[in-house]
Amino acid sequence: MSEELKKKIVEVLETITDPEIGIDVYNLGLIYDIQVVNDKTVKIAMSLTTMFCPLASTLPLMIIDALKEKLGIDADIDIVYDPPWTPLRMTEKGRVLFKERFGYDIVEEYARSQQETRE
């Protein structure tokens, strides 16, 4: 049951778009963990692209509202910053969406910047 519910939760998360980036919270890699407590409650650990994200209070509420409306479940959202979010957390779909939207592969750029920092 919990795997099926997790799949439905992910489908809902894919409908919640980060308004600044235009990519959903799941494929952006902001969702770190989904724990199904029971068929009416879920715990989600998520991060933000930055600790100073202006959407820090908005995005969790969007998730809570969507899960309640679409699946009838309550969500307990825990914002975590460890480990910090990086583009490496994005799904393949997220990378494609980002590249279509902004014209470059953010993961390649991030990896290149990390390489240059080490040199």
Side-chain angles (χ1 to χ4, degrees), residues 12-86:
V12 171
L13 294 172
E14 287 183 312
T15 69
I16 301 166
T17 302
D18 179 309
E20 291 187 314
I21 300 174
I23 298 173
D24 68 88
V25 295
Y26 184 79
N27 288 298
L28 198 52
L30 297 180
I31 305 301
Y32 283 21
D33 188 43
I34 301 170
Q35 292 180 9
V36 175
V37 176
N38 57 49
D39 62 347
K40 291 291 178 196
T41 309
V42 65
K43 293 182 81 159
I44 296 175
M46 71 174 290
S47 192
L48 302 165
T49 55
T50 173
M51 290 179 77
F52 307 105
C53 178
L55 300 169
S57 60
T58 306
L59 280 177
L61 292 176
M62 291 168 65
I63 292 170
I64 290 167
D65 290 347
L67 290 171
K68 185 69 164 174
E69 178 185 320
K70 295 176 181 170
L71 299 178
I73 60 174
D74 293 315
D76 179 20
I77 310 284
D78 187 23
I79 303 288
V80 296
Y81 295 103
D82 188 29
W85 179 88
T86 72

Side-chain angles (χ1 to χ4, degrees), residues 64-115:
I64 290 167
D65 290 347
L67 290 171
K68 185 69 164 174
E69 178 185 320
K70 295 176 181 170
L71 299 178
I73 60 174
D74 293 315
D76 179 20
I77 310 284
D78 187 23
I79 303 288
V80 296
Y81 295 103
D82 188 29
W85 179 88
T86 72
L88 300 176
R89 296 197 60 91
M90 294 172 72
T91 65
E92 282 300 314
K93 181 178 179 181
R95 285 178 72 176
V96 169
L97 292 169
F98 190 95
K99 191 169 185 176
E100 287 172 356
R101 185 169 176 88
F102 297 101
Y104 67 96
D105 186 329
I106 189 171
V107 175
E108 288 178 8
E109 290 296 319
Y110 179 79
R112 189 176 2 266
S113 74
Q114 295 303 300
Q115 179 87 24

